[in-house]
Amino acid sequence: MIRTRSKRVLLVAPKAFPEKQLSGYNTVRQVSAPGTIFPCIYEFKPDVILFDHDHMGANLENVLRRLSSNPFYRNIKICCYKSHEHTQIDGLLKVLGVNHFFYKKDVERVSKSKAALDAINNILDASIVNWVAGIA
C-alpha cells in the first residue's frame, strides 16, 4: 500500500486500523488523536502522511489547509484512505493537497490478486520440486 521508497510514514487512523496493512514497515508511526498530528510531524519529520478519511471526518479539511499553507510541510506527500469514492469530496481534497487516494475496494482487490499469485507460485514451486525429485 505504501511504496518502499518512503522512509518515514505517519499514519493518522484509529488504533483498530488493520495490522496487516502495516506489516513489513519499520518506520511507521500511528497517531489516533487529531490534536497530536502536528507535534508528531515536527518530531518525526515524515515523508508521507496517510489519513483515514472516516476517522478524521471534519478535521481533515482543517489539517490539510494548515499543511498546505506552511512551507515547512511542502515536501510531505499526503495520501488519503477512503471507504468509497465521492467525486466532489475527492476533488476538494485533491485541491487541498492530497496526492493519492486509496479506496477500500482497491485494497481488497490487491489482496485477492496477491492471494491468487501466491497460490500460482506455490503450484509452480511444488511442480518444480517434484520435477527435481524425479530427476534425482
Side-chain angles (χ1 to χ4, degrees):
M1 180 161 74
I2 301 167
R3 293 187 176 164
T4 57
R5 287 185 280 174
S6 304
K7 295 180 177 138
R8 293 176 302 258
V9 178
L10 177 65
L11 175 65
V12 182
K15 291 293 183 186
F17 197 83
E19 289 295 325
K20 68 179 182 177
Q21 302 295 333
L22 297 178
S23 63
Y25 299 107
N26 298 328
T27 58
V28 176
R29 184 174 293 181
Q30 184 172 2
V31 175
S32 60
T36 60
I37 294 171
F38 291 100
C40 189
I41 290 173
Y42 183 74
E43 175 189 335
F44 188 57
K45 297 180 184 162
D47 299 318
V48 176
I49 301 175
L50 177 61
F51 290 103
D52 185 356
H53 183 266
D54 297 333
H55 174 67
M56 289 294 292
N59 293 332
L60 183 60
E61 184 178 341
N62 295 334
V63 170
L64 290 175
R65 288 183 190 277
R66 185 171 170 187
L67 286 171
S68 64
S69 66
N70 193 336
F72 178 75
Y73 308 118
R74 184 175 306 154
N75 295 329
I76 299 174
K77 301 292 182 200
I78 301 172
C79 301
C80 186
Y81 175 77
K82 293 182 71 179
S83 57
H84 59 281
E85 296 181 54
H86 191 281
T87 55
Q88 292 177 341
I89 294 174
D90 292 351
L92 173 66
L93 295 177
K94 192 79 155 171
V95 168
L96 291 176
V98 175
N99 300 103
H100 190 71
F101 290 97
F102 297 103
Y103 299 105
K104 185 177 182 180
K105 64 179 182 175
D106 296 335
V107 173
E108 290 173 352
R109 185 179 329 135
V110 167
S111 64
K112 287 180 183 177
S113 65
K114 185 173 177 5
L117 288 174
D118 288 342
I120 292 170
N121 286 338
N122 290 338
I123 291 170
L124 290 175
D125 289 342
S127 64
I128 290 172
V129 168
N130 291 337
W131 177 69
V132 171
I135 291 176

